[in-house]
Amino acid sequence: MVRVQNFIRNGSYVATGLFVFILCILTSYGQVNQVRKAPAYPLITHNPNFSIWSTSDILTDKVTEHWTGVAHGLTGYLEVDGVTYRFMGKDAPRYQTIIPHATEEGKPRVKYIEKAQNGGWSALDFEDSNWKEGALPISDNKAVSGTFWESDNIWVRREFSLGKRDENEPLFLKLHHDDNVEVYLNGVLVFERDGWNNRFEYFDISSKAKGVLREGKNVLAIHLKNTAGGRFLDFDLVNSVAADKADVVVAKQTSVDVHATQTMYRFDCDGVELQVTFTSPVLMDDLDLLARPVSYISYEVQAKDGKKHDVKIHQEVSSDIAVYMADQQEVKGQAYKDGTLSILKVGTVEQPILQKGADDMRIDWGHLYVAVPTDRNVKQFISGYDAPYQGKSLTLHTEISLGQVGATPANRFLTIGYDEVYAIQYFHTDLRPWWNKNGDRSFETQLHAAVRDYEKLIQQCTVFDSTLRRQVVQAGGEKYAYLCVLAYRQSIAAHTLVESPTGEVLWLSKENNSGGFINTVDVTYPSSPLYLIYNPVLLQGMLNGIFYFSESGKYPHPWAAHDLGTYPFANGQTYGEPMPVEESGNMLIMTAAIARAQGNAKYAEKHWKVLSQWADYLVEEGLDPKAQLCTDDFAGHLARNANLSVKAIMGIASYARLADMLGKKDVADRYRKIAEEMVPKWMDLADAGDHYALTFDDPNTWSQKYNLIWDKVLDFGLFPKEVVDKEIAYYIPRMKRFGLPLDSRKNYTKNDWIVWTATLAKNKDTFEKFIDPLFRHALEAPTRVPLNDFYDATTGVRENFKARSVVGGFYMKLLAEKWDK
């Protein structure tokens, strides 16, 4: 797991002071305009590549986004008696270059030099004949670079000619840079910035460039300095372009409700009511259904004024969903019929299948599909042009005519899906998605199945959503239920399902926004309660690759690996440091939890040799861990970490439990005794009077001992009751506005661990003291992203993480209640 030590402050914090009022709104499931119900609203949620969200309380206020924050546009219009209302999304800002691009392959040419320059190099009349010539982009990544660059500094000049232009017209610098940049226009500094960005941004330089840009010859000059990591530069000068539909009426949103598998909006369109429902039927008891990457957008229209109205639905879907960098990649689409379906399909021309892996990445291979049952009232087309449909940022249009609509509701739906073709590279073998693991199915089969199953699945999702919410309310109350509902789809959408070459289930996570690693064990560990409840086979699918890595000899160490690579490449660990006690303890605990969920230890029996190896490592190194990385080292590494020691004890106890279930009584007794004997030693080492310390050598420290939860959930009965009671009592006065800090070093916190700590509480009132701040953070966090699990407990400012699978850990309380019966 990446350790982030710098704040990323996206927006300013404002406390709403509406806590009680918002709670009433949430629990009544009513809606007051612009009352926040989620930090981000899940719309399309299947896997890390196909995950679309609304980051505004009003669906029409912003462009819908991929979890990385890049526009993945879904835009909807309702036409009522010739008047058009926008009810979904917003047109993304549009720009056009002012610099002619008459260059080979469409790539702008520049002059550049990597030798330090004195003053004057950015001027229009500077002599650059001895500089090299190359194409944009400039990068140290040969897969994307027009010009390869690997030094620490580069100076770039791009000359261009302009005709006459209005100097009052807005001017934007279009810039993607890594790292520190200075930008000059005809020798005048118009922009500078330390740091980097990971995609094109548009910076208004109108005021600084006024009177500088001229008719005829101009030069845009840039100095870029690399300070760490990768290198990248691409840039342009652009004007903004007015939206085509600027005169469209915005529909009035009257409500929004978020459920585990569905998000529902209602709108008032002057006498006509519209309900729009986004359904991703990610039900975990059916792996074939879970792996089908097709969501529904459903529409229900009803007249509320006693009249009949002529109504049409217009749904637009952006081809940007199928690209990595919308400004840089061309797409090609087609419109066709397949039996009873009308289908739109689009994907990149290049189709670079499994050619890149990174954290902040969007898929640019495979195809996006929009399909709707065919009848005479449906029309589909792409960007309004005749075939062939090719270009950048195309729009897939679906028009559904409902005819005359009165008091009787009219219902329609469409499906939106994504075919990755190949989803994962697993130890250098390319794997297809689960739904097509044998390579013998077309994506059209999935679309037909989705349409055929529509009514049944909507009903199943509705029942599941209701049941889940009732169960989590019973387990932990309304605020706890709210957090669990938000977490459900998010956790699932951070995984993809494939089958290994030997036929094993692989449910592989992407470590979203914290490194992009695949199958990270200390991301699996916090997310595990969700999957233990709803399908432990999926937790096996998170462990199978880690077991294989060690058992095959590809990972030669006596402890468990941290990860299998960088998503989507599961070819072996790419994180730079091991976490020996952390990951070995995690693997043993989760294997024991699977045995508890399934009622047998057959899964452990398959992996007994390596489990024994990890258990012995914990016996030798776990009680008083040496300096090493653990999952909570955001403020630096620690030796003698008390919570990490608890994990080792839980891991050894887990091994003893598994041995007992397998009839290995001597082994079970021996390792159970080792764990029992460690407990009083731990209590003595960690004793700090009224609490237990963060590290054994400093009684002036403290930390959350959330790993103790397994002593309760797996009913080991190792630690005396006084340990938990003392810790919980110590935590309460140290609670901050948005949660309990992880430890005494910083105000950092993790909401998944807080729920685990809260589950140790012996009564409802104490549990809620931990949950209330998490609920508050979800409603008031200053950054609008899919649930952020790592943030400052005082300010709520996120520490870079978002959209991660670890929020599956919110289900620990429900798991504890379920297994206590």
Side-chain angles (χ1 to χ4, degrees):
M1 183 184 298
V2 167
R3 309 294 170 239
V4 180
Q5 298 186 28
N6 295 320
F7 289 176
I8 294 185
R9 301 186 183 277
N10 296 327
S12 59
Y13 170 70
V14 179
T16 66
L18 297 177
F19 180 72
V20 175
F21 175 64
I22 292 172
L23 175 59
C24 293
I25 294 296
L26 280 166
T27 55
S28 67
Y29 274 79
Q31 168 73 18
V32 174
N33 250 1
Q34 301 186 37
V35 166
R36 177 163 162 176
K37 286 196 172 181
Y41 298 81
L43 305 179
I44 308 291
T45 47
H46 289 281
N47 57 53
N49 292 323
F50 195 34
S51 179
I52 305 174
W53 300 71
S54 171
T55 57
S56 172
D57 302 306
I58 304 299
L59 187 57
T60 52
D61 276 0
K62 288 186 66 178
V63 179
T64 56
E65 301 175 354
H66 184 254
W67 68 261
T68 57
V70 171
H72 274 188
L74 303 172
T75 314
Y77 302 89
L78 191 72
E79 185 180 341
V80 181
D81 300 328
V83 178
T84 303
Y85 301 82
R86 175 166 53 85
F87 62 84
M88 181 191 305
K90 191 174 185 179
D91 288 333
R94 295 170 55 202
Y95 304 92
Q96 63 183 13
T97 183
I98 67 168
I99 302 178
H101 278 191
T103 56
E104 62 180 61
E105 300 178 354
K107 294 183 177 180
R109 306 292 293 182
V110 296
K111 292 286 193 73
Y112 70 96
I113 196 167
E114 296 170 80
K115 179 181 177 182
Q117 298 297 297
N118 296 321
W121 67 274
S122 64
L124 184 59
D125 57 0
F126 178 77
E127 175 54 53
D128 61 10
S129 59
N130 64 330
W131 288 30
K132 297 176 184 178
E133 185 174 340
L136 293 176
I138 296 168
S139 175
D140 60 357
N141 183 347
K142 291 182 178 179
V144 300
S145 64
T147 299
F148 186 70
W149 168 49
E150 56 182 351
S151 66
D152 288 334
N153 286 274
I154 192 167
W155 289 260
V156 180
R157 289 171 55 87
R158 181 178 177 186
E159 292 187 0
F160 58 96
S161 293
L162 287 181
K164 189 173 180 62
R165 70 181 295 274
D166 183 354
E167 69 171 15
N168 293 315
E169 189 175 9
L171 183 66
F172 293 85
L173 172 67
K174 176 183 175 182
L175 181 65
H176 180 179
H177 66 98
D178 188 357
D179 293 342
N180 302 347
V181 67
E182 299 170 346
V183 182
Y184 299 84
L185 182 59
N186 294 336
V188 176
L189 181 68
V190 294
F191 183 82
E192 61 181 332
R193 187 189 204 189
D194 286 344
W196 54 276
N197 60 12
N198 46 30
R199 62 183 70 95
F200 276 121
E201 291 184 77
Y202 297 83
F203 303 99
D204 190 341
I205 60 170
S206 304
S207 60
K208 292 185 177 180
K210 193 167 185 177
V212 177
L213 200 61
R214 63 188 66 182
E215 187 175 355
K217 181 181 175 182
N218 294 268
V219 65
L220 196 57
I222 292 181
H223 172 218
L224 189 67
K225 180 178 181 179
N226 179 64
T227 61
R231 299 162 174 82
F232 193 91
L233 177 64
D234 201 353
F235 60 97
D236 203 349
L237 286 180
V238 299
N239 286 334
S240 59
V241 179
D244 293 336
K245 304 181 182 70
D247 58 344
V248 168
V249 179
V250 177
K252 180 183 177 182
Q253 182 176 310
T254 58
S255 71
V256 57
D257 294 324
V258 181
H259 303 281
T261 66
Q262 301 182 89
T263 302
M264 302 174 175
Y265 294 87
R266 285 189 180 275
F267 302 90
D268 181 2
C269 301
D270 293 337
V272 170
E273 182 179 76
L274 167 68
Q275 177 172 305
V276 179
T277 302
F278 296 88
T279 305
S280 295
V282 282
L283 302 174
M284 286 187 272
D285 60 347
D286 183 341
L287 294 187
D288 291 337
L289 175 62
L290 178 68
R292 182 194 294 165
V294 181
S295 278
Y296 303 104
I297 305 178
S298 306
Y299 316 88
E300 181 177 283
V301 182
Q302 181 179 15
K304 306 298 288 185
D305 59 1
K307 302 177 183 177
K308 288 196 172 183
H309 300 272
D310 187 57
V311 178
K312 293 180 181 177
I313 297 164
H314 302 271
Q315 182 67 58
E316 297 182 352
V317 178
S318 173
S319 68
D320 293 351
I321 296 169
V323 303
Y324 181 17
M325 295 289 185
D327 294 305
Q328 299 174 2
Q329 294 178 291
E330 282 209 342
V331 295
K332 186 174 184 179
Q334 63 182 111
Y336 62 102
K337 300 285 194 298
D338 188 272
T340 58
L341 291 184
S342 176
I343 300 174
L344 300 174
K345 173 183 177 182
V346 68
T348 59
V349 173
E350 183 185 6
Q351 288 296 305
I353 295 175
L354 290 176
Q355 290 185 21
K356 57 179 66 70
D359 191 353
D360 185 61
M361 193 187 88
R362 277 73 54 198
I363 193 169
D364 60 359
W365 66 87
H367 292 88
L368 170 69
Y369 290 79
V370 178
V372 63
T374 305
D375 64 33
R376 58 187 175 83
N377 297 317
V378 172
K379 297 179 183 176
Q380 286 192 305
F381 56 93
I382 299 178
S383 292
Y385 303 109
D386 295 332
Y389 306 113
Q390 187 164 329
K392 295 179 181 177
S393 294
L394 304 181
T395 302
L396 284 62
H397 298 257
T398 300
E399 177 186 303
I400 304 172
S401 177
L402 303 181
Q404 293 290 306
V405 176
T408 301
N411 295 278
R412 298 290 190 276
F413 71 95
L414 60 75
T415 60
I416 176 169
Y418 204 98
D419 178 10
E420 297 174 302
V421 184
Y422 285 92
I424 297 293
Q425 188 175 96
Y426 183 72
F427 293 99
H428 305 288
T429 297
D430 293 348
L431 301 181
R432 297 180 183 273
W434 177 275
W435 65 266
N436 193 28
K437 54 192 173 185
N438 298 319
D440 57 355
R441 294 183 178 181
S442 68
F443 199 75
E444 286 81 1
T445 64
Q446 301 303 291
L447 296 172
H448 279 285
V451 170
R452 181 189 66 240
D453 296 343
Y454 171 72
E455 291 186 4
K456 177 185 72 174
L457 289 179
I458 293 297
Q459 183 177 8
Q460 287 180 4
C461 286
T462 300
V463 170
F464 175 80
D465 292 349
S466 176
T467 302
L468 181 148
R469 188 174 187 281
R470 184 181 67 253
Q471 290 173 340
V472 288
V473 167
Q474 290 173 347
E478 289 284 351
K479 298 172 196 174
Y480 174 67
Y482 163 83
L483 294 169
C484 288
V485 167
L486 284 184
Y488 183 82
R489 268 179 287 173
Q490 175 172 316
S491 185
I492 289 171
H495 296 81
T496 198
L497 187 66
V498 293
E499 185 178 80
S500 78
T502 58
E504 289 189 313
V505 172
L506 296 174
W507 180 238
L508 301 175
S509 64
K510 179 173 182 177
E511 194 176 323
N512 290 345
N513 203 225
S514 56
F517 305 107
I518 189 169
N519 205 183
T520 304
V521 176
D522 59 304
V523 168
T524 295
Y525 176 67
S527 72
S528 62
L530 177 64
Y531 304 99
L532 287 165
I533 293 168
Y534 292 107
N535 192 344
V537 169
L538 290 171
L539 185 54
Q540 289 181 10
M542 291 187 260
L543 306 191
N544 285 334
I546 302 296
F547 278 124
Y548 171 76
F549 197 16
S550 284
E551 291 166 347
S552 65
K554 298 178 189 296
Y555 189 73
H557 303 290
W559 54 78
H562 170 272
D563 63 80
L564 291 184
T566 298
Y567 193 95
F569 304 121
N571 296 324
Q573 180 170 323
T574 52
Y575 189 68
E577 294 183 73
M579 294 187 187
V581 171
E582 179 78 46
E583 309 302 25
S584 300
N586 289 341
M587 290 295 291
L588 283 157
I589 292 166
M590 289 188 289
T591 304
I594 289 170
R596 169 65 179 83
Q598 295 180 329
N600 64 76
K602 292 179 182 178
Y603 183 67
E605 190 171 27
K606 289 174 54 180
H607 304 291
W608 193 247
K609 182 177 180 181
V610 74
L611 287 169
S612 301
Q613 174 183 303
W614 294 338
D616 287 340
Y617 177 82
L618 293 181
V619 170
E620 292 296 319
E621 302 289 342
L623 175 61
D624 195 352
K626 297 181 176 68
Q628 60 183 261
L629 186 63
C630 85
T631 195
D632 295 333
D633 279 357
F634 305 109
H637 295 9
L638 290 171
R640 315 196 71 190
N641 185 324
N643 189 45
L644 189 59
S645 177
V646 172
K647 179 166 290 182
I649 296 169
M650 293 296 107
I652 294 166
S654 295
Y655 180 73
R657 173 68 57 79
L658 292 167
D660 186 60
M661 294 178 73
L662 290 171
K664 303 176 186 291
K665 181 144 180 38
D666 290 346
V667 175
D669 291 346
R670 185 165 71 253
Y671 283 86
R672 170 71 190 191
K673 184 178 181 183
I674 291 170
E676 288 174 345
E677 291 175 347
M678 282 183 168
V679 171
K681 294 176 182 176
W682 182 94
M683 292 174 65
D684 183 59
L685 287 166
D687 186 19
D690 60 352
H691 71 285
Y692 295 93
L694 165 65
T695 59
F696 294 146
D697 55 0
D698 190 350
N700 296 312
T701 62
W702 64 271
S703 64
Q704 289 189 49
K705 308 302 190 300
Y706 57 81
N707 286 316
L708 281 169
I709 190 59
W710 296 106
D711 200 32
K712 175 179 179 178
V713 172
L714 291 176
D715 195 25
F716 291 142
L718 288 168
F719 282 80
K721 179 176 174 293
E722 68 188 69
V723 173
V724 168
D725 290 347
K726 186 185 291 188
E727 284 290 284
I728 293 293
Y730 191 80
Y731 297 152
I732 299 297
R734 284 154 184 81
M735 201 80 67
K736 306 296 184 183
R737 178 170 180 77
F738 295 114
L740 177 69
L742 273 174
D743 58 55
S744 52
R745 291 176 293 175
K746 297 281 186 179
N747 275 335
Y748 304 145
T749 197
K750 293 278 273 80
N751 51 19
D752 48 346
W753 296 146
I754 291 175
V755 176
W756 288 33
T757 299
T759 305
L760 290 167
K762 61 184 178 181
N763 58 62
K764 178 182 177 183
D765 289 345
T766 305
F767 175 78
E768 290 181 347
K769 287 178 181 177
F770 288 88
I771 299 301
D772 286 356
L774 307 189
F775 178 78
R776 185 182 298 118
H777 182 259
L779 294 180
E780 298 181 12
T783 309
R784 303 302 298 270
V785 296
L787 277 169
N788 164 225
D789 59 282
F790 175 41
Y791 56 86
D792 186 288
T794 300
T795 66
V797 172
R798 76 185 183 99
E799 302 293 336
N800 204 38
F801 295 179
K802 62 181 175 183
R804 301 199 326 148
S805 64
V806 300
V807 295
F810 292 177
Y811 284 79
M812 181 57 89
K813 176 66 171 174
L814 180 60
L815 180 68
E817 295 292 320
K818 178 182 178 183
W819 284 1
D820 190 43
K821 294 177 181 177

